[in-house]
mmCIF file of all heavy atoms in Angstrom:
data_model
loop_
_atom_site.group_PDB
_atom_site.id
_atom_site.type_symbol
_atom_site.label_atom_id
_atom_site.label_comp_id
_atom_site.label_asym_id
_atom_site.label_seq_id
_atom_site.Cartn_x
_atom_site.Cartn_y
_atom_site.Cartn_z
ATOM 1 N N CYS A 265 54.607 128.845 137.458
ATOM 2 C CA CYS A 265 55.939 129.206 137.147
ATOM 3 C C CYS A 265 56.181 130.729 136.968
ATOM 4 O O CYS A 265 57.142 131.265 137.546
ATOM 5 C CB CYS A 265 56.237 128.495 135.818
ATOM 6 S SG CYS A 265 57.703 129.012 134.854
ATOM 7 N N GLY A 266 55.268 131.413 136.358
ATOM 8 C CA GLY A 266 55.304 132.810 136.238
ATOM 9 C C GLY A 266 53.881 133.442 136.202
ATOM 10 O O GLY A 266 52.949 132.705 136.644
ATOM 11 N N TRP A 267 53.812 134.645 135.709
ATOM 12 C CA TRP A 267 52.445 135.276 135.543
ATOM 13 C C TRP A 267 51.720 135.232 136.889
ATOM 14 O O TRP A 267 50.566 134.943 136.934
ATOM 15 C CB TRP A 267 51.661 134.603 134.401
ATOM 16 C CG TRP A 267 50.708 135.522 133.684
ATOM 17 C CD1 TRP A 267 49.638 136.143 134.181
ATOM 18 C CD2 TRP A 267 50.708 135.823 132.273
ATOM 19 N NE1 TRP A 267 48.957 136.808 133.192
ATOM 20 C CE2 TRP A 267 49.583 136.681 132.025
ATOM 21 C CE3 TRP A 267 51.522 135.475 131.219
ATOM 22 C CZ2 TRP A 267 49.291 137.170 130.761
ATOM 23 C CZ3 TRP A 267 51.219 135.955 129.986
ATOM 24 C CH2 TRP A 267 50.132 136.822 129.724
ATOM 25 N N ALA A 320 53.055 138.143 124.622
ATOM 26 C CA ALA A 320 54.291 137.506 124.453
ATOM 27 C C ALA A 320 55.277 138.465 123.854
ATOM 28 O O ALA A 320 56.474 138.516 124.224
ATOM 29 C CB ALA A 320 54.103 136.283 123.527
ATOM 30 N N LEU A 323 56.589 140.984 126.465
ATOM 31 C CA LEU A 323 57.495 140.387 127.411
ATOM 32 C C LEU A 323 58.907 140.329 126.723
ATOM 33 O O LEU A 323 59.929 140.559 127.374
ATOM 34 C CB LEU A 323 57.030 139.028 127.857
ATOM 35 C CG LEU A 323 55.975 139.090 128.953
ATOM 36 C CD1 LEU A 323 55.174 137.751 129.087
ATOM 37 C CD2 LEU A 323 56.546 139.526 130.283
ATOM 38 N N SER A 419 54.775 133.735 120.844
ATOM 39 C CA SER A 419 54.882 132.866 121.982
ATOM 40 C C SER A 419 56.165 132.009 121.975
ATOM 41 O O SER A 419 56.737 131.741 122.963
ATOM 42 C CB SER A 419 53.680 131.919 122.136
ATOM 43 O OG SER A 419 52.527 132.622 122.123
ATOM 44 N N GLU A 420 56.549 131.701 120.761
ATOM 45 C CA GLU A 420 57.778 130.840 120.666
ATOM 46 C C GLU A 420 58.996 131.757 120.502
ATOM 47 O O GLU A 420 60.055 131.531 121.227
ATOM 48 C CB GLU A 420 57.708 129.991 119.428
ATOM 49 C CG GLU A 420 58.935 129.143 119.199
ATOM 50 C CD GLU A 420 58.877 128.033 118.175
ATOM 51 O OE1 GLU A 420 57.793 127.875 117.522
ATOM 52 O OE2 GLU A 420 59.872 127.281 118.015
ATOM 53 N N LEU A 423 59.727 134.361 123.406
ATOM 54 C CA LEU A 423 60.273 133.572 124.513
ATOM 55 C C LEU A 423 61.757 133.303 124.279
ATOM 56 O O LEU A 423 62.541 133.412 125.189
ATOM 57 C CB LEU A 423 59.503 132.250 124.595
ATOM 58 C CG LEU A 423 59.953 131.329 125.680
ATOM 59 C CD1 LEU A 423 59.573 131.840 127.072
ATOM 60 C CD2 LEU A 423 59.346 129.938 125.539
ATOM 61 N N ASN A 426 63.565 136.221 125.242
ATOM 62 C CA ASN A 426 63.833 136.319 126.697
ATOM 63 C C ASN A 426 64.974 135.461 127.105
ATOM 64 O O ASN A 426 65.738 135.789 127.995
ATOM 65 C CB ASN A 426 62.570 135.914 127.466
ATOM 66 C CG ASN A 426 61.434 136.908 127.451
ATOM 67 O OD1 ASN A 426 60.279 136.594 127.475
ATOM 68 N ND2 ASN A 426 61.817 138.208 127.377
ATOM 69 N N GLU A 445 64.843 136.926 134.192
ATOM 70 C CA GLU A 445 64.334 135.556 134.387
ATOM 71 C C GLU A 445 62.842 135.560 134.625
ATOM 72 O O GLU A 445 62.133 134.674 134.157
ATOM 73 C CB GLU A 445 65.072 134.833 135.560
ATOM 74 C CG GLU A 445 64.987 135.594 136.930
ATOM 75 C CD GLU A 445 63.726 135.264 137.649
ATOM 76 O OE1 GLU A 445 63.169 134.208 137.576
ATOM 77 O OE2 GLU A 445 63.268 136.176 138.410
ATOM 78 N N GLN A 446 62.300 136.605 135.220
ATOM 79 C CA GLN A 446 60.865 136.682 135.388
ATOM 80 C C GLN A 446 60.136 136.869 134.074
ATOM 81 O O GLN A 446 59.070 136.218 133.791
ATOM 82 C CB GLN A 446 60.422 137.930 136.289
ATOM 83 C CG GLN A 446 58.982 137.905 136.630
ATOM 84 C CD GLN A 446 58.525 139.105 137.408
ATOM 85 O OE1 GLN A 446 59.302 139.814 137.991
ATOM 86 N NE2 GLN A 446 57.222 139.345 137.306
ATOM 87 N N TYR A 447 60.716 137.622 133.142
ATOM 88 C CA TYR A 447 60.083 137.772 131.785
ATOM 89 C C TYR A 447 60.007 136.464 131.113
ATOM 90 O O TYR A 447 58.982 136.101 130.507
ATOM 91 C CB TYR A 447 60.873 138.777 130.902
ATOM 92 C CG TYR A 447 61.020 140.191 131.464
ATOM 93 C CD1 TYR A 447 62.147 140.943 131.229
ATOM 94 C CD2 TYR A 447 59.858 140.775 132.047
ATOM 95 C CE1 TYR A 447 62.232 142.267 131.705
ATOM 96 C CE2 TYR A 447 59.937 142.094 132.535
ATOM 97 C CZ TYR A 447 61.163 142.795 132.398
ATOM 98 O OH TYR A 447 61.222 144.155 132.817
ATOM 99 N N TRP A 448 61.093 135.643 131.279
ATOM 100 C CA TRP A 448 61.069 134.325 130.638
ATOM 101 C C TRP A 448 59.981 133.440 131.286
ATOM 102 O O TRP A 448 59.160 132.799 130.592
ATOM 103 C CB TRP A 448 62.414 133.645 130.759
ATOM 104 C CG TRP A 448 62.499 132.338 130.002
ATOM 105 C CD1 TRP A 448 62.838 132.165 128.716
ATOM 106 C CD2 TRP A 448 62.078 131.036 130.478
ATOM 107 N NE1 TRP A 448 62.673 130.848 128.314
ATOM 108 C CE2 TRP A 448 62.231 130.150 129.361
ATOM 109 C CE3 TRP A 448 61.625 130.542 131.665
ATOM 110 C CZ2 TRP A 448 61.972 128.784 129.478
ATOM 111 C CZ3 TRP A 448 61.287 129.148 131.735
ATOM 112 C CH2 TRP A 448 61.489 128.320 130.642
ATOM 113 N N ARG A 449 59.911 133.469 132.618
ATOM 114 C CA ARG A 449 58.934 132.660 133.304
ATOM 115 C C ARG A 449 57.501 133.069 132.932
ATOM 116 O O ARG A 449 56.592 132.309 132.697
ATOM 117 C CB ARG A 449 59.119 132.661 134.870
ATOM 118 C CG ARG A 449 60.246 131.817 135.318
ATOM 119 C CD ARG A 449 60.252 131.763 136.837
ATOM 120 N NE ARG A 449 60.677 132.993 137.482
ATOM 121 C CZ ARG A 449 59.837 133.819 138.155
ATOM 122 N NH1 ARG A 449 58.589 133.536 138.278
ATOM 123 N NH2 ARG A 449 60.273 134.926 138.700
ATOM 124 N N ASP A 450 57.295 134.400 132.862
ATOM 125 C CA ASP A 450 55.958 134.916 132.563
ATOM 126 C C ASP A 450 55.642 134.489 131.128
ATOM 127 O O ASP A 450 54.505 134.094 130.842
ATOM 128 C CB ASP A 450 55.944 136.433 132.656
ATOM 129 C CG ASP A 450 55.945 136.929 134.093
ATOM 130 O OD1 ASP A 450 55.789 136.122 134.974
ATOM 131 O OD2 ASP A 450 56.119 138.191 134.315
ATOM 132 N N ASN A 451 56.632 134.553 130.224
ATOM 133 C CA ASN A 451 56.385 134.329 128.834
ATOM 134 C C ASN A 451 56.106 132.841 128.528
ATOM 135 O O ASN A 451 55.504 132.458 127.568
ATOM 136 C CB ASN A 451 57.461 134.860 127.948
ATOM 137 C CG ASN A 451 57.006 135.462 126.611
ATOM 138 O OD1 ASN A 451 55.829 135.272 126.274
ATOM 139 N ND2 ASN A 451 57.948 136.110 125.901
ATOM 140 N N ARG A 452 56.662 131.972 129.379
ATOM 141 C CA ARG A 452 56.591 130.562 129.105
ATOM 142 C C ARG A 452 55.106 130.000 129.019
ATOM 143 O O ARG A 452 54.852 129.021 128.380
ATOM 144 C CB ARG A 452 57.355 129.655 130.173
ATOM 145 C CG ARG A 452 57.527 128.258 129.739
ATOM 146 C CD ARG A 452 58.323 128.091 128.487
ATOM 147 N NE ARG A 452 58.340 126.764 127.947
ATOM 148 C CZ ARG A 452 57.309 126.229 127.188
ATOM 149 N NH1 ARG A 452 56.201 126.867 126.983
ATOM 150 N NH2 ARG A 452 57.441 125.010 126.716
ATOM 151 N N LEU A 453 54.192 130.786 129.614
ATOM 152 C CA LEU A 453 52.795 130.379 129.556
ATOM 153 C C LEU A 453 52.237 130.443 128.128
ATOM 154 O O LEU A 453 51.391 129.713 127.765
ATOM 155 C CB LEU A 453 51.978 131.344 130.457
ATOM 156 C CG LEU A 453 50.486 131.216 130.346
ATOM 157 C CD1 LEU A 453 50.025 129.839 130.807
ATOM 158 C CD2 LEU A 453 49.746 132.245 131.230
ATOM 159 N N ASN A 454 52.735 131.369 127.341
ATOM 160 C CA ASN A 454 52.024 131.730 126.107
ATOM 161 C C ASN A 454 51.945 130.604 125.039
ATOM 162 O O ASN A 454 51.061 130.640 124.250
ATOM 163 C CB ASN A 454 52.528 133.036 125.567
ATOM 164 C CG ASN A 454 52.170 134.199 126.444
ATOM 165 O OD1 ASN A 454 51.027 134.323 126.881
ATOM 166 N ND2 ASN A 454 53.172 135.055 126.770
ATOM 167 N N MET A 455 52.894 129.726 125.137
ATOM 168 C CA MET A 455 52.807 128.518 124.130
ATOM 169 C C MET A 455 51.762 127.497 124.671
ATOM 170 O O MET A 455 51.470 126.546 124.001
ATOM 171 C CB MET A 455 54.138 127.861 123.986
ATOM 172 C CG MET A 455 55.087 128.656 123.047
ATOM 173 S SD MET A 455 56.745 127.904 123.060
ATOM 174 C CE MET A 455 56.480 126.504 121.960
ATOM 175 N N ILE A 456 51.291 127.697 125.895
ATOM 176 C CA ILE A 456 50.384 126.676 126.461
ATOM 177 C C ILE A 456 48.937 127.124 126.459
ATOM 178 O O ILE A 456 48.080 126.268 125.966
ATOM 179 C CB ILE A 456 50.860 126.451 127.977
ATOM 180 C CG1 ILE A 456 52.286 125.821 127.991
ATOM 181 C CG2 ILE A 456 49.817 125.479 128.619
ATOM 182 C CD1 ILE A 456 52.858 125.743 129.389
ATOM 183 N N HIS A 457 48.611 128.341 126.925
ATOM 184 C CA HIS A 457 47.178 128.663 127.005
ATOM 185 C C HIS A 457 46.605 129.231 125.701
ATOM 186 O O HIS A 457 47.372 129.444 124.780
ATOM 187 C CB HIS A 457 46.895 129.660 128.223
ATOM 188 C CG HIS A 457 47.487 130.976 128.087
ATOM 189 N ND1 HIS A 457 47.001 132.065 128.782
ATOM 190 C CD2 HIS A 457 48.435 131.494 127.337
ATOM 191 C CE1 HIS A 457 47.684 133.092 128.523
ATOM 192 N NE2 HIS A 457 48.574 132.813 127.588
ATOM 193 N N HIS A 461 50.720 125.221 121.294
ATOM 194 C CA HIS A 461 51.411 125.325 119.986
ATOM 195 C C HIS A 461 50.956 124.247 119.036
ATOM 196 O O HIS A 461 50.660 124.523 117.907
ATOM 197 C CB HIS A 461 52.885 125.155 120.296
ATOM 198 C CG HIS A 461 53.770 126.162 119.608
ATOM 199 N ND1 HIS A 461 53.511 127.535 119.634
ATOM 200 C CD2 HIS A 461 54.871 126.004 118.815
ATOM 201 C CE1 HIS A 461 54.424 128.130 118.941
ATOM 202 N NE2 HIS A 461 55.294 127.235 118.380
#
Side-chain angles (χ1 to χ4, degrees):
C265 162
W267 211 297
L323 281 164
S419 302
E420 180 170 2
L423 178 70
N426 286 148
E445 60 81 33
Q446 186 187 342
Y447 297 143
W448 187 90
R449 283 187 290 108
D450 287 349
N451 217 349
R452 190 61 191 81
L453 172 61
N454 291 315
M455 281 174 79
I456 298 171
H457 67 162
H461 225 48

